Amino acid sequence: MDRLDGSAHLMIVSDLDFTMVDHLDPDNLGLLRFNAMWEAYYRQDSLLVFSTGRSPTIYKELRKEKPLLTPDISIMSVGTEIMYGESMIRDEDWEQYLNQNWNREIVTEETAQFPELTPQSETEQRPHKVSFFVEKIKALKVIRFLSERLEKRGLDVKLIYSNETALDVLPKGAGKGQALAYLLEKFKVDGKMPVNTLVCGDSGNDAELFGIPEVYGVMVSNAQEELLQWHAENAKNNPKIIHATERCAAGIIQAIGNFSLGPNVSPRDIGDFQKCKVEIYNSCHEVVKFYLFYERWRRAEVAKNMQTPNLIFFPLGTFVHPSGVEQPVTHCIDVMARLHGDKQGTDYRIWVDRVSSEQVGSDTWRMKFYKWEAFGEERHGCLTTVLLSSKAKVPDGFTWMHMHQTWLEGSEPKDQTTWLF
């Protein structure tokens, strides 16, 4: 929460499965479009929050499967766990608060009396969450009787049914909505209340997010009936909540434009940056733009013309390969020329994460970010540091003066010969 000196321009609070992540999109193009937009325009002054029913264990599994960005805050296990930053530092005050009138042993005793309930995996059983599967036809009856039994045992609990199959038993004060309200109160106390907050969801356990006052909300086009019904019964006259016509991450981009919350054209949607100039151009956009070009170069989606790399790289610049070998940038450009189209027709993709920009001179910026390449089942990443200069021969642009890369732990490829930039 302390990454920004002041208030976030925009805070996006998004569910993951079938909201930010479209599991029916094998190419992950919607997610990659959002990633490029966020890193180019928002990372520097905004906050990204993932609010998911997943436990930390299976959340980390999803991160290995999908090109997810690193969030500033993670709300896990249906709002029962709040964690900060890449290191996922736990909010112990939140967990202490949830202990009020909560007894996990009593919950497990009472739920054991219902044969209709099938326990979810051990990874999904958390200190303040007990989770089951139950058929939709039996769910309402089970919820009614279970609520009565737990109330008689002196517990204040909340039962959330979502995806027409999952039943979570939580402390009364838990849930995605309450976790967000807790965060907003912390921001308010610190004098850092976000200028705008956009919540995004698709299922029943996201409904509470839309009940938080003053937030904007988007139900993605593929939202489930349980969420749409909640909206019809509770918020149909709220102009700050829309039902997008686009799926998942594309629906989030659509909502940003609908509510005029900031730039809503992803750099991935711009085919030719030389012909289409963007309104907001900065050092972060420069990084995103170059790696989109590099991906398209390897996929043969741009013509074999080396004018752009020759133009933006300082001729006497150096590139320190993640292996530690220092190379003249001119050598790298020659290698790049030979790699044109070597990934043509494949699922090769590149994205950047956690792009940060620091001005270190009147016309010089130090950029740091994670650069990732995915190809088939392989994924490789490195920490990248770049020096950019705006005192350049590139009109309205930057010259890349120096680049240094270091492999992220366990992510180096066996064959490092074709790894560039």
Side-chain angles (χ1 to χ4, degrees):
M1 294 182 71
D2 296 328
R3 184 174 67 81
L4 303 181
D5 294 332
S7 298
H9 168 72
L10 174 64
M11 182 167 75
I12 287 186
V13 182
S14 178
D15 174 51
L16 289 177
D17 297 290
F18 289 106
T19 301
M20 183 62 74
V21 177
D22 188 350
H23 294 282
L24 300 183
D25 176 11
D27 295 326
N28 301 305
L29 288 182
L31 183 54
L32 289 167
R33 288 178 60 221
F34 176 87
N35 291 359
M37 183 189 71
W38 187 261
E39 296 299 330
Y41 303 128
Y42 291 96
R43 176 68 79 173
Q44 288 293 102
D45 65 358
S46 298
L47 293 172
L48 181 61
V49 181
F50 290 158
S51 182
T52 178
R54 287 179 177 248
S55 68
T57 301
I58 62 171
Y59 163 70
K60 291 175 182 177
E61 292 176 1
L62 183 66
R63 286 186 61 86
K64 294 178 181 178
E65 298 167 3
K66 298 291 183 178
L68 282 170
L69 297 180
T70 303
D72 297 287
I73 304 172
S74 305
I75 300 174
M76 300 279 166
S77 305
V78 199
T80 62
E81 300 174 81
I82 300 176
M83 302 177 184
Y84 302 103
E86 184 181 20
S87 301
M88 299 181 69
I89 299 170
R90 306 182 73 86
D91 190 321
E92 296 181 357
D93 290 340
W94 174 244
E95 295 177 18
Q96 286 296 321
Y97 165 74
L98 295 182
N99 283 333
Q100 302 175 48
N101 295 321
W102 170 257
N103 187 310
R104 200 177 188 285
E105 291 184 5
I106 292 178
V107 173
T108 55
E109 286 176 13
E110 292 297 335
T111 52
Q113 306 305 313
F114 292 82
E116 302 93 337
L117 296 176
T118 301
Q120 294 183 24
S121 66
E122 278 301 312
T123 63
E124 302 315 288
Q125 311 301 335
R126 307 298 294 172
H128 297 97
K129 181 173 81 79
V130 186
S131 298
F132 303 90
F133 295 116
V134 58
E135 295 178 20
K136 182 180 179 181
I137 195 171
K138 301 175 181 178
L140 288 178
K141 182 178 179 182
V142 169
I143 290 171
R144 184 171 71 251
F145 286 114
L146 179 57
S147 296
E148 293 174 357
R149 294 184 66 140
L150 292 172
E151 185 176 349
K152 288 179 180 178
R153 295 290 299 271
L155 300 189
D156 285 338
V157 300
K158 173 187 294 181
L159 280 73
I160 297 180
Y161 189 59
S162 58
N163 299 310
E164 299 185 349
T165 182
L167 179 64
D168 298 307
V169 185
L170 318 173
K172 187 76 170 181
K176 290 185 175 183
Q178 280 82 348
L180 175 56
Y182 170 83
L183 287 174
L184 289 173
E185 182 61 27
K186 290 187 73 170
F187 282 121
K188 184 178 180 180
V189 169
D190 292 342
K192 295 183 177 182
M193 194 70 167
V195 177
N196 292 299
T197 297
L198 173 66
V199 301
C200 321
D202 77 301
S203 69
N205 67 16
D206 300 314
E208 292 181 352
L209 291 172
F210 297 93
I212 301 296
E214 304 305 316
V215 304
Y216 294 95
V218 56
M219 302 177 294
V220 292
S221 69
N222 51 291
Q224 297 183 22
E225 183 60 35
E226 61 204 21
L227 180 59
L228 299 178
Q229 182 176 341
W230 176 91
H231 178 260
E233 295 172 356
N234 298 277
K236 65 179 180 181
N237 295 320
N238 186 346
K240 287 190 170 185
I241 300 177
I242 66 167
H243 185 193
T245 58
E246 300 282 348
R247 289 179 59 87
C248 301
I252 299 174
I253 296 174
Q254 180 184 1
I256 291 173
N258 182 86
F259 297 124
S260 301
L261 300 178
N264 71 315
V265 175
S266 171
R268 275 194 175 269
D269 295 333
I270 299 175
D272 189 337
F273 288 100
Q274 292 180 331
K275 294 181 180 179
C276 182
K277 297 294 184 181
V278 296
E279 292 183 10
I280 300 176
Y281 191 77
N282 54 39
S283 54
C284 297
H285 182 276
E286 168 69 18
V287 168
V288 172
K289 182 186 75 168
F290 171 73
Y291 282 106
L292 281 173
F293 171 82
Y294 183 60
E295 176 193 292
R296 292 166 179 172
W297 177 267
R298 301 284 296 271
R299 289 169 58 91
E301 293 173 351
V302 293
K304 191 174 183 180
N305 181 341
M306 291 307 295
Q307 180 181 358
T308 299
N310 279 321
L311 190 62
I312 70 169
F313 279 100
F314 180 53
L316 301 180
T318 56
F319 168 59
V320 181
H321 191 276
S323 63
V325 177
E326 183 174 316
Q327 303 166 335
V329 72
T330 51
H331 168 75
C332 298
I333 292 174
D334 290 341
V335 174
M336 181 175 167
R338 297 195 294 269
L339 294 176
H340 182 266
D342 70 320
K343 303 295 185 184
Q344 187 173 7
T346 71
D347 57 357
Y348 176 77
R349 295 293 178 187
I350 298 176
W351 68 98
V352 291
D353 181 22
R354 298 187 71 198
V355 178
S356 66
S357 175
E358 178 187 8
Q359 189 164 359
V360 294
S362 60
D363 52 27
T364 308
W365 283 260
R366 180 189 294 118
M367 311 299 299
K368 288 188 176 181
F369 52 92
Y370 292 161
K371 177 239 178 170
W372 290 97
E373 291 189 12
F375 178 56
E377 296 298 318
E378 294 186 31
R379 178 188 292 194
H380 308 293
C382 63
L383 172 63
T384 303
T385 302
V386 174
L387 282 181
L388 297 180
S389 173
S390 61
K391 186 179 180 181
K393 57 184 178 182
V394 184
D396 301 320
F398 297 87
T399 297
W400 293 54
M401 307 297 292
H402 175 77
M403 180 185 292
H404 187 288
Q405 295 186 335
T406 306
W407 292 123
L408 295 173
E409 185 177 356
S411 66
E412 63 272 18
K414 293 180 180 178
D415 178 11
Q416 301 185 16
T417 59
T418 59
W419 181 275
L420 280 180
F421 302 128

